[in-house]
Amino acid sequence: MTAAIGTLRTGHVGLNVTALDRSLAFYREALGFEQLGEGKEDGRRFAFLGRDGELVLTLWQQADDRYAPRAAGLHHLALSAGSIEEVRAYEERLRGLGVDFAYEGVVAHREGAASGGIFFHDPDGTRLEISVPTGAEGAPAPAESAPTCGFF
């Protein structure tokens, strides 16, 4: 008898980085992740990051070059916030840290959408998003007919 197939959801995301210490600092300071564990073997460095003991992100120091937007693989990492005010608080924190933003301020996911957020890059150029499903009503949409998160 075959087991029932359930609904899948994302467990955690693994990102290749060029410099683990630099990326650890970014994800802890800028986004508030806790370090849950670390591997320090020469040539096999990695770190587990999360919230409240739950693994969200693993950083693997095994990349030779920065993120390549045109390469197959990860397009962007989207993180969900609890409110538009929380998104704006992250924006303020990130601006204070000199983070590179794709768009100015909160933008809608598409023209007229209630969902939206901020779009920025980590130290290796990986594209990141912090968004909410509602609260961005009236925010500008960078592209009229295409999803904002698809082309930054």
Side-chain angles (χ1 to χ4, degrees):
M1 187 168 158
T2 306
I5 295 176
T7 302
L8 295 175
R9 65 178 183 88
T10 304
H12 73 275
V13 174
L15 294 179
N16 284 339
V17 299
T18 59
L20 183 62
D21 293 332
R22 178 184 68 180
S23 292
L24 266 172
F26 173 82
Y27 284 95
R28 286 190 314 225
E29 294 170 24
L31 301 179
F33 284 111
E34 304 162 5
Q35 186 171 334
L36 304 177
E38 182 176 18
K40 297 181 179 184
E41 294 177 34
D42 191 32
R44 294 179 56 109
R45 294 196 60 211
F46 61 90
F48 298 124
L49 301 173
R51 287 252 164 82
D52 302 321
E54 183 177 342
L55 178 62
V56 175
L57 184 65
T58 305
L59 303 176
W60 303 95
Q61 184 173 299
Q62 56 188 20
D64 293 326
D65 296 309
R66 292 177 48 84
Y67 175 80
R70 300 247 179 242
L74 180 76
H75 182 274
H76 71 285
L77 174 58
L79 302 165
S80 297
S83 68
I84 196 69
E85 292 79 20
E86 189 177 345
V87 172
R88 289 192 172 105
Y90 274 110
E91 178 189 10
E92 185 176 331
R93 176 191 279 182
L94 295 166
R95 288 206 186 281
L97 294 170
V99 170
D100 175 46
F101 279 79
Y103 307 116
E104 187 59 39
V106 171
V107 296
H109 277 138
R110 67 182 187 290
E111 191 172 352
S115 64
I118 55 174
F119 298 83
F120 55 99
H121 302 92
D122 82 354
D124 282 313
T126 300
R127 300 182 291 195
L128 301 164
E129 167 187 356
I130 299 175
S131 63
V132 289
T134 62
E137 295 88 351
E144 290 180 22
S145 61
T148 299
C149 59
F151 300 97
F152 72 103

